[in-house]
Amino acid sequence: MEKPLDRYSRQLLFPGIGEDGQKKIRQSRVLLVGCGALGSNIANNLVRAGVGKITLVDRDFLEINNLQRQMLFDEDDVAASLPKAVAAANKLRKINSEVEIVSIVTDVNPSNIEALVRDADVVLDGTDNFETRYLINDACIELGKPWVYGGVLASYGTTMTIIPHETPCLRCIFEEAPPPGTTPTCDTAGIIGSIVSVIANLQGTEALKIMVGATDRINRGMIWIDVWDNSVEKIQGSKLAPECPACVKGNYEFLESKEGTHTTTLCGRSAVQVSVRGNPSVSFPTLAGRLESVGQVQYNEYMLRFLVNGYEMVIFPDGRALIKGTTDESVARTLYARYVGA
Ligand SMILES: [Zn+2]
């Protein structure tokens, strides 16, 4: 027998959703890639709203400095060193036992993304790096699944909703990812918790609109908000870029792993190599300037050495890095995304 909808009574009263909308939400399957700052907020929102199924995928473990902005977690989760996807699932099951919650601790990559996306009605971006976002973009365009991009840093954030072949995709707007080492990350520029909640809640609302079929209401462009400056901008973007490699030409370069970062474990050395294809060039003075506040940095013309939290990262001008102190490729990719930025 179908479960009653009483717990959603306030949401049913909202004309944009109503009883029909609530039933559609209950039938919907969500894939959430990344369960950190944006992801934990999005999951909280959508599980309370009563989605049918949510799959949480994350490669990271909890640290104490996550609690400032990752609203689902507490000190017990950190003390237990739980993976974020697992800690989130435990909490979400207590919030709404009607929702089917699947947690997967893995690095989303070209070999597993299509299966994950195929099983979803809508995909949400809770990641912190462009490599994974381009991969989500490729898989969603190829499989015709709507997805909601979100990015946050310092006090500002952006979000954009992508309906494949109907609204501009991520590569229509940013054809290439910024080269490694050129953009700040939240580990170098910092972040305040409120912007995370703002962007995550916009992303969650866009997903609900997609689930209930209110695609006439979605954000067809890009919303940019700075909560410290009180500025809000809406950039209209209704047309696909005529030369877009993904949604116009159908070249799924990230899915085919022709671009992006690749990792190799270096046997017997407790180190992982992270390499970037496409020969980017890293400016050591710029990168060192960003990293000085978070760890110990030294460089010469051949390499930059960075010590942080017991890891040693050696970065080369072609964007390649050797990360010592781990043999786990997911940890190495996380450190690379966090400090070099890709
Ligand atoms: Zn496109």
Side-chain angles (χ1 to χ4, degrees):
M1 206 182 82
E2 212 173 275
K3 290 202 174 103
L5 296 174
D6 306 357
R7 65 181 295 154
Y8 308 110
S9 61
R10 299 303 184 275
Q11 199 162 275
L12 296 176
L13 284 171
F14 174 65
I17 293 183
E19 192 172 327
D20 284 351
Q22 190 63 49
K23 286 180 177 164
K24 288 178 185 163
I25 292 169
R26 180 177 271 179
Q27 285 160 6
S28 297
R29 299 161 302 163
V30 174
L31 170 65
L32 175 57
V33 183
C35 204
L38 287 173
S40 61
N41 279 272
I42 293 167
N44 189 12
N45 194 314
L46 293 181
V47 166
R48 287 177 194 275
V51 297
K53 177 182 176 184
I54 188 164
T55 302
L56 315 165
V57 191
D58 193 281
R59 65 187 179 188
D60 209 358
F61 288 78
L62 277 162
E63 294 170 297
I64 190 73
N65 69 25
N66 297 152
L67 299 187
Q68 165 252 354
R69 64 196 178 283
Q70 305 191 10
M71 308 301 182
L72 271 183
F73 308 123
D74 60 37
E75 293 180 1
D76 290 345
D77 299 325
V78 177
S81 295
L82 289 178
K84 291 180 183 181
V86 172
N90 292 344
K91 201 67 52 79
L92 292 165
R93 288 189 184 109
K94 289 185 191 166
I95 291 169
N96 191 344
S97 59
E98 291 182 359
V99 178
E100 184 186 347
I101 296 162
V102 178
S103 64
I104 304 175
V105 183
T106 193
D107 189 34
V108 170
N109 61 53
S111 71
N112 60 16
I113 184 124
E114 285 162 296
L116 291 166
V117 168
R118 197 172 281 121
D119 190 41
D121 300 306
V122 55
V123 178
L124 285 122
D125 169 24
T127 70
D128 59 0
N129 66 88
F130 270 97
E131 184 201 354
T132 315
R133 290 187 183 117
Y134 281 115
L135 199 55
I136 295 170
N137 191 67
D138 272 4
C140 286
I141 302 294
E142 184 199 38
L143 298 168
K145 304 283 187 173
W147 76 281
V148 187
Y149 158 74
V152 285
L153 190 69
S155 60
Y156 59 89
T158 59
T159 179
M160 180 170 116
T161 304
I162 293 123
I163 309 284
H165 309 295
E166 191 183 317
T167 69
C169 82
L170 192 63
R171 294 199 78 187
C172 286
I173 309 283
F174 308 113
E175 190 181 330
E176 304 292 339
T182 58
T183 49
T185 71
C186 81
D187 290 280
T188 56
I191 187 157
I192 55 173
S194 55
I195 187 61
V196 174
S197 303
V198 168
I199 296 295
N201 287 335
L202 290 175
Q203 287 181 273
T205 311
E206 290 293 293
L208 290 182
K209 293 178 200 172
I210 291 167
M211 289 177 215
V212 304
T215 48
D216 57 323
R217 296 287 184 145
I218 63 162
N219 160 34
R220 290 170 187 264
M222 187 170 269
I223 293 174
W224 194 96
I225 296 177
D226 189 321
V227 291
W228 207 254
D229 288 348
N230 296 312
S231 50
V232 180
E233 278 177 52
K234 195 166 175 205
I235 302 148
Q236 291 292 350
S238 54
K239 290 205 179 108
L240 311 185
E243 298 290 311
C244 176
C247 71
V248 175
K249 294 187 173 169
N251 294 330
Y252 305 115
E253 291 161 5
F254 292 85
L255 214 45
E256 289 155 14
S257 195
K258 288 176 184 162
E259 293 188 16
T261 56
H262 301 263
T263 48
T264 321
T265 307
L266 303 178
C267 294
R269 287 186 51 195
S270 184
V272 176
Q273 174 181 273
V274 180
S275 59
V276 183
R277 298 205 180 151
N279 295 320
S281 107
V282 173
S283 157
F284 288 162
T286 308
L287 183 58
R290 288 199 294 107
L291 296 176
E292 271 162 9
S293 60
V294 286
Q296 218 181 309
V297 192
Q298 279 181 309
Y299 66 91
N300 58 27
E301 65 184 294
Y302 308 107
M303 61 178 160
L304 181 147
R305 192 180 296 274
F306 173 52
L307 298 172
V308 66
N309 297 337
Y311 297 103
E312 181 183 355
M313 301 179 70
V314 176
I315 299 147
F316 299 89
D318 62 358
R320 191 168 60 88
L322 294 180
I323 298 169
K324 296 182 194 170
T326 184
T327 51
D328 185 329
E329 295 190 15
S330 300
V331 170
R333 292 164 83 99
T334 301
L335 289 166
Y336 190 89
R338 188 178 283 180
Y339 295 111
V340 185

